[in-house]
Amino acid sequence: AFPGYRYHRAIPSTFTRRLLNGAQFAMIVGDCDLTHDLDADQQKTLLDWVAAGHKLILRDSDMCNSSDYSFIPYQFQTIAVGGRGARGQVLSIVDPSTLGAGKSDPAHFLDTVSYVSGHQDLGDADIMQTDDLHWCGHLFARNLAGATGWAHTYTRWGRGLIIYDGLDRDDLKMDPPALNVVRYEYRQPATGRLPCNVRVASVLTLYPSADRKMAAGVPATLQVPMSLTYAAKAKGAADQQVALSITGDAPYRMNVSPATITMHSGQSIPVQAVISLPKGWSGFHAFTVTANGQHNAKSQTSITLDGSVALARAFQTQRRVRIYGIHFDVDSATILPQSETTISQIAEVLRANPSWRMRVEGYTDSDGGAAYNQGLSDRRAHSVVADLVNHYHIAASRLTAQGFGLTHPVAPNTTEGGKALNRRVELVRL
C-alpha cells in the first residue's frame, strides 16, 4: 500500500540508537506496556532522537485493552475496547491539516463520509484522554465503549513530532480512506507546520469542519450543521456556560445558533452556522466557529468556502486575480502535483491571449518571520513561472515573478483559516 518505504522491525529489548540511524521516522506498534518494555536509557534515546527533529508514531488499537505510555513526557491515557470488530458511526475532521483535511485541500483530502459508510471497525478505535494541553486534536470519533473523543492527535517534542493514532488496525491496512490517514502520517515532515486550534484536554469539542464549493456571484444562504460536545472527565462536573461565535475573512452577514447554551457533562447539542452570500460574491474564504466555555474551555472548527471563478472569465473584468489552487511542499518552493490543474488553466489563458503579459506574485502567512517569508514567496513565484515556461512552453518574456512575503495580508494571521488565505499566488495582467 505504501511503496517507497522500507521497514526495520525490532522487539523493544533489542532497541538501540543504531537502529535509528538514517530512519525517517519510528513507530511503536502494538506494545501495550512500552514503559516497562523499554528501560530508562532506551526511553531517553528515543525521546532525544525525536526532540532532535524526528517523528514518532504511536499505534496500538485492536491489540491492547489498555496501554502504558507513561514515559512519554506529555501524559495521556486511552479508552480502548481491543479487537471487537465493531462498527462505528462517528469520525470527523475537527482541525484540518496536512494530516488530513477536506475537499479544499485535495493533496490531503480525507474522505470521512466514505470511511464511516464503508466496511470499517471504527468502534474499536482507542480514544485519548489527557489533561495535558500539549496534545492537539485532529480526528474525533466514538468507540464501542461509548467513549467520545480523539482518535488521532499530535504534539511537538523539541523540534520533532509525536503522533497518536488510535484508529482500528484492520482499517489502517485495508480501507482506502483509512489508508490515507497512514499516508499523510508518513509524509508529514517532523518539523513541518501543523495547527493546534483544538486541545485534546479541552472538555468542549465542536465538530466537524466543513468544505463547500458553490457557484460564485449568486446570492445564497449557506447553512452548516455541527455538533458541540461537553465531556468532563470528573464525575459530577458542573454545568458549562458556553458562548458560540463565528468570524471570517469576508464582510458577509453570518451568525451561529445557539449563541449561548448551558450544557451538562456528557451532553451533545446541534449547532448551526449561517453565512449570507450577497450578489456578486466570489473567491476562496475561510471562517472560524468558536465555542468558549468556562475555565478556559474552548474549541474551534473551520468552514472553507470555494467560490472561485474561471480564470478566463475573471481576467475579462479585472487585472489582478487571487489564486489558491497552487500548492507547495511545506517550507519549500517545490510545486505539488495537484497544482497542475490550476497552472494549466493559467497557461490556457495565456495561449488564448498571446498579447498578454503577466506578473506572478507570491505571498505567505506570518509564520517564520519577515525575512524568511520574503525569500520563500519569491522562490515560489519563480517556481510557477518556471513551470509555465518549461512544462507549458509559455515564452519567458511574457512572465515576471516577485515575492511579497507576509506583506499585504488579506485576512488576520491569528487563525489557521486566515493564514491559509494569506498563503497564496496572485496573477497580475500587465
Side-chain angles (χ1 to χ4, degrees):
F2 309 106
Y5 294 95
R6 291 185 296 111
Y7 302 85
H8 182 95
R9 295 178 175 84
I11 60 174
S13 61
T14 67
F15 171 70
T16 65
R17 177 63 178 83
R18 181 181 58 81
L19 294 177
L20 296 172
N21 291 338
Q24 182 178 346
F25 56 88
M27 292 192 293
I28 297 170
V29 182
D31 191 304
C32 306
D33 196 14
L34 194 71
T35 296
H36 297 96
D37 291 341
L38 292 177
D39 63 32
D41 287 340
Q42 291 174 313
Q43 294 170 11
K44 184 177 185 303
T45 295
L46 180 60
L47 291 173
D48 287 349
W49 179 78
V50 175
H54 297 96
K55 180 171 58 183
L56 173 64
I57 300 173
L58 309 176
R59 187 178 294 151
D60 64 7
S61 182
D62 264 5
M63 295 167 274
C64 305
N65 289 320
S66 63
S67 304
D68 186 348
Y69 292 116
S70 55
F71 80 95
I72 299 293
Y74 305 136
Q75 297 288 290
F76 68 93
Q77 296 178 326
T78 62
I79 299 177
V81 298
R84 305 281 292 275
R87 282 184 58 82
Q89 303 300 321
V90 175
L91 182 68
S92 295
I93 301 171
V94 179
D95 201 7
S97 69
T98 48
L99 288 173
K103 293 180 180 179
S104 65
D105 185 358
H108 306 99
F109 176 49
L110 187 59
D111 191 347
T112 55
V113 174
S114 294
Y115 194 148
V116 172
S117 61
H119 176 76
Q120 42 86 355
D121 292 342
L122 278 169
D124 287 354
D126 289 1
I127 303 299
M128 177 187 281
Q129 288 196 326
T130 182
D131 292 320
D132 195 308
L133 292 172
H134 288 91
W135 287 100
C136 308
H138 177 230
L139 297 179
F140 192 78
R142 180 182 296 119
N143 69 10
L144 184 65
T148 302
W150 300 99
H152 203 234
T153 71
Y154 52 88
T155 185
R156 292 288 177 197
W157 177 241
R159 293 192 297 110
L161 177 67
I162 301 175
I163 298 173
Y164 176 77
D165 185 337
L167 296 174
D168 178 78
R169 175 179 61 162
D170 297 321
D171 290 356
L172 297 174
K173 292 191 295 185
M174 297 182 297
D175 292 355
L179 292 178
N180 274 339
V181 175
V182 179
R183 186 169 291 112
Y184 302 149
E185 287 176 350
Y186 284 9
R187 292 177 180 174
Q188 175 63 41
T191 58
R193 178 188 289 113
L194 282 171
C196 193
N197 293 317
V198 184
R199 306 287 177 171
V200 175
S202 176
V203 297
L204 295 176
T205 306
L206 184 64
Y207 68 96
S209 62
D211 279 290
R212 297 289 188 271
K213 187 176 181 67
M214 301 177 65
V218 180
T221 299
L222 174 61
Q223 298 180 339
V224 182
M226 299 176 175
S227 293
L228 176 64
T229 297
Y230 170 36
K233 300 174 182 65
K235 291 184 178 180
D239 292 352
Q240 274 273 348
Q241 306 291 324
V242 183
L244 293 112
S245 61
I246 180 172
T247 58
D249 67 292
Y252 305 148
R253 288 190 296 112
M254 63 191 84
N255 66 79
V256 59
S257 60
T260 58
I261 188 72
T262 301
M263 299 188 68
H264 314 297
S265 179
Q267 184 180 13
S268 292
I269 64 164
V271 173
Q272 181 162 266
V274 178
I275 303 169
S276 298
L277 305 173
K279 182 179 179 181
W281 78 276
S282 67
F284 188 99
H285 301 292
F287 304 86
T288 301
V289 183
T290 303
N292 277 307
Q294 297 167 284
H295 311 297
N296 297 318
K298 181 179 180 179
S299 184
Q300 290 183 319
T301 194
S302 62
I303 301 170
T304 303
L305 177 60
D306 185 355
S308 303
V309 296
L311 284 177
R313 177 182 162 195
F315 276 117
Q316 290 174 4
T317 58
Q318 53 195 4
R319 301 185 75 89
R320 176 183 292 272
V321 176
R322 192 180 302 168
I323 305 292
Y324 285 101
I326 301 177
H327 305 277
F328 302 87
D329 271 339
V330 176
D331 296 331
S332 166
T334 301
I335 298 173
L336 295 175
Q338 64 269 21
S339 307
E340 294 305 326
T341 300
T342 299
I343 296 177
S344 67
Q345 290 182 32
I346 299 172
E348 289 175 10
V349 170
L350 287 165
R351 290 194 192 102
N353 300 274
S355 64
W356 286 8
R357 295 176 60 250
M358 283 193 186
R359 181 171 65 242
V360 178
E361 299 180 348
Y363 298 86
T364 69
D365 61 27
S366 60
D367 291 350
Y372 173 79
N373 282 307
Q374 176 62 41
L376 178 63
S377 65
D378 196 65
R379 293 195 301 274
R380 287 178 169 178
H382 279 87
S383 289
V384 175
V385 168
D387 197 36
L388 288 165
V389 172
N390 297 329
H391 293 161
Y392 298 95
H393 309 294
I394 303 299
S397 60
R398 301 178 61 192
L399 299 165
T400 60
Q402 187 173 359
F404 290 88
L406 54 76
T407 62
H408 305 97
V410 295
N413 278 302
T414 54
T415 67
E416 288 303 315
K419 290 178 182 179
L421 289 172
N422 291 330
R423 297 191 295 268
R424 68 196 189 278
V425 169
E426 293 193 8
L427 299 179
V428 180
R429 182 159 62 90
L430 303 176

